[in-house]
Amino acid sequence: MRISVQISANEITLIEPNVFNSFDLIADPADASEADVAAALGPVGSPAGDDHVWISVDEVQRLAGSAVTSEWESNFENMLAYAASMEWTNEDQTMIKAHIARP
């Protein structure tokens, strides 16, 4: 999965909602700071340090929209379990950490 954040428009979209073996974020403009990305995410995200941001799991599910099926939910749960094992989620698994991919 990849989250796309358009900083100037405060627009967030989910790209590749059926890819469960990766999770990152691309920002436009590409040189946006971690703080700018987190600000554009608003209440569904926050800075995580080291060029990462926390993103609400509920927001990822909302962004997935019509891609969400029972199979999608199962795959997403598996992705979250793996992320938790790598300490890429917060304690209650309501937030998942995304690396800000830079070109």
Side-chain angles (χ1 to χ4, degrees):
M1 284 184 206
R2 177 168 276 185
I3 303 286
S4 171
V5 178
Q6 301 290 320
I7 303 294
S8 62
N10 286 342
E11 183 178 299
I12 308 165
T13 55
L14 181 64
I15 303 169
E16 301 172 342
N18 294 309
V19 174
F20 297 95
N21 62 354
S22 66
F23 187 74
D24 63 8
L25 180 145
I26 54 172
D28 183 16
D31 63 349
S33 71
E34 179 183 317
D36 288 340
V37 172
L41 289 169
V44 299
S46 62
D50 198 26
D51 227 18
H52 289 77
V53 291
W54 292 107
I55 300 177
S56 160
V57 168
D58 288 343
E59 180 67 4
V60 175
Q61 292 172 309
R62 187 192 71 74
L63 291 170
S66 63
V68 176
T69 63
S70 58
E71 181 180 3
W72 187 95
E73 288 177 352
S74 176
N75 289 331
F76 189 59
E77 290 294 322
N78 290 336
M79 185 181 101
L80 288 176
Y82 177 74
S85 77
M86 300 301 290
E87 299 182 355
W88 295 335
T89 64
N90 64 345
E91 218 172 274
D92 61 1
Q93 294 188 13
T94 59
M95 304 289 278
I96 185 169
K97 190 183 286 187
H99 172 70
I100 301 172
R102 304 286 183 186

